[in-house]
Amino acid sequence: MTANGPRSVLLAGGGTAGHVSPLLALADCLGRRYPGIRLTALGTAAGLEARLVPERGYPLLEVPKVPFPRRPSGDLLRLPGNLRRAVRAAEHAIDSTAAEVVVGFGGYVSTPAYLAARRHGTPVVVHEQNARPGLANRLGARVAAGVGVTFPGTALPRATVTGMPLRREISTLDRMARRAEARAHFGLAHAPTVLVTGGSLGAQRLNEAFAGAAAALSAAGVQVLHVAGTGKEFVPEGASGAPYVVLPYCDRMDLAYAAADLVVARSGANTVCELTAVGLPAVYVPLPIGNGEQRLNAAAVIAAGGGLLVDDARVSAAWVDEVVRPLALDPARLATMATASASVGERGGDELLADLVVAAAAGGR
């Protein structure tokens, strides 16, 4: 710990953008606060972090992926050995970086990081993105010096509501000021615009529904920017009117949000927090699997009137035409929803979580 802040921080998280995005946002914030701080990410070779972390300019140290099976399987028999190897790799990362704090964001990578930090006596800070915490962060919170949560009411001990750490380009976004630039960037026109995204991995249900409705949306003058997921791209047949742009992945979500009037998306915590921070109305379609956290993630913005919640089973081409198309063509309703969405948004989550990291470093020395 220096007079200005911690000298080295190890950030553990990966697998999907939901873990990687807040990790990078916190790293950026700490780097702005403390020039010269050593920031290292801990992740797997197969996760999204393997590409996104180095692209952002941070070193990535790898740990083996340790799946926690929910039912008896071969993975269950291999769990003890896999976990030991992952903990050893995490211990090596703590040693080699001289980390003063380990920050975990949940998922496969965080459990071995928490166990390694406890063995080393290194302070832990946990950030839980979802309203309902996962297994890794329930474990980490028991030994953590600080616990940040995105949503009030998240059941973790000694939790501080920090909101979601957001990338600077999102937290400072002025959608209206960037709209013309954003639409030009994606080859869109000046027309009602729907952004469709299933997250970094895509969402087959959304892809199929909008592919089936592409012609009707285009003919009605509704243009679509559709982030389909890598390997899940499609050609929007019959879209001969308003543009229908399909991307496998979008590295400029700030511009995607600036281009959009309405979003149709899963309700992962990062998605919900980004959309409310920038004040975008949305139709949220929670994943039909998991522990129900995606429905809870969207609860506050739905209650405020900033979005609609739709069950995955209802989503079809006919539903897009009956529900999404008229909503996209109703600017007065969208303006009301946008105000409501912004009313529950938090743009300073990175700074609040950084405060917990600094306090943990100070207390650990």
Side-chain angles (χ1 to χ4, degrees):
M1 184 78 180
T2 68
N4 293 324
R7 291 184 295 264
S8 178
V9 176
L10 183 66
L11 303 107
T16 68
H19 290 124
V20 181
S21 291
L23 182 155
L24 292 175
L26 176 63
D28 289 349
C29 179
L30 290 170
R32 290 193 305 271
R33 280 194 186 188
Y34 308 112
I37 186 175
R38 184 176 186 179
L39 298 163
T40 309
L42 191 66
T44 68
L48 199 61
E49 65 274 16
R51 178 174 69 86
L52 295 183
V53 168
E55 284 182 357
R56 198 70 159 233
Y58 299 109
L60 176 72
L61 299 179
E62 294 180 4
V63 293
K65 183 176 179 180
V66 185
F68 284 78
R70 298 178 182 274
R71 56 183 62 86
S73 68
D75 284 338
L76 184 60
L77 297 176
R78 291 185 287 271
L79 177 61
N82 289 340
L83 186 57
R84 280 195 297 272
R85 285 189 289 275
V87 172
R88 283 198 296 269
E91 285 187 283
H92 177 71
I94 294 172
D95 285 335
S96 65
T97 62
E100 295 179 349
V101 185
V102 171
V103 186
F105 294 85
Y108 296 131
V109 177
S110 292
T111 299
Y114 297 148
L115 294 174
R118 185 178 185 185
R119 290 174 65 168
H120 271 243
T122 304
V124 166
V125 172
V126 170
H127 182 266
E128 175 55 54
Q129 59 171 302
N130 288 303
R132 183 170 287 164
L135 177 62
N137 280 350
R138 293 202 303 271
L139 170 67
R142 296 171 63 182
V143 299
V147 177
V149 297
T150 302
F151 302 104
T154 300
L156 287 176
R158 305 177 307 282
T160 299
V161 179
T162 61
M164 179 72 76
L166 300 177
R167 293 166 291 172
R168 195 72 170 170
E169 61 266 31
I170 301 296
S171 65
T172 61
L173 179 64
D174 182 333
R175 290 197 301 119
M176 295 300 105
R178 303 289 297 278
R179 172 151 292 177
E181 172 198 354
R183 290 183 175 176
H185 177 83
F186 294 111
L188 297 169
H190 179 63
T193 305
V194 177
L195 169 64
V196 182
T197 174
S200 57
L201 302 179
Q204 194 62 30
R205 174 82 71 172
L206 297 182
N207 291 351
E208 291 174 354
F210 275 84
L217 289 169
S218 182
V222 177
Q223 62 185 356
V224 178
L225 177 61
H226 192 137
V227 185
T230 302
K232 298 177 183 177
E233 308 94 305
F234 60 91
V235 176
E237 297 181 2
S240 57
Y244 196 115
V245 177
V246 179
L247 302 175
Y249 184 79
C250 182
D251 286 320
R252 292 302 306 271
M253 287 305 294
D254 56 326
L255 293 183
Y257 293 154
D261 299 298
L262 172 68
V263 179
V264 180
R266 294 299 193 192
S267 48
N270 197 65
T271 298
V272 172
C273 292
E274 287 189 348
L275 295 180
T276 55
V278 302
L280 260 168
V283 179
Y284 294 104
V285 185
L287 274 168
I289 59 174
N291 62 6
E293 71 275 7
Q294 287 209 349
R295 185 174 292 272
L296 292 175
N297 291 343
V301 65
I302 300 302
L308 306 177
L309 193 72
V310 178
D311 288 337
D312 184 80
R314 284 191 57 202
V315 175
S316 66
W319 170 81
V320 173
D321 192 50
E322 293 168 5
V323 176
V324 177
R325 179 178 58 82
L327 180 57
L329 293 169
D330 189 343
R333 186 179 181 195
L334 290 177
T336 299
M337 291 176 68
T339 299
S341 176
S343 74
V344 299
E346 169 59 65
R347 293 190 177 220
D350 56 345
E351 297 285 354
L352 294 173
L353 184 58
D355 289 343
L356 294 184
V357 174
V358 173
R365 298 294 178 187

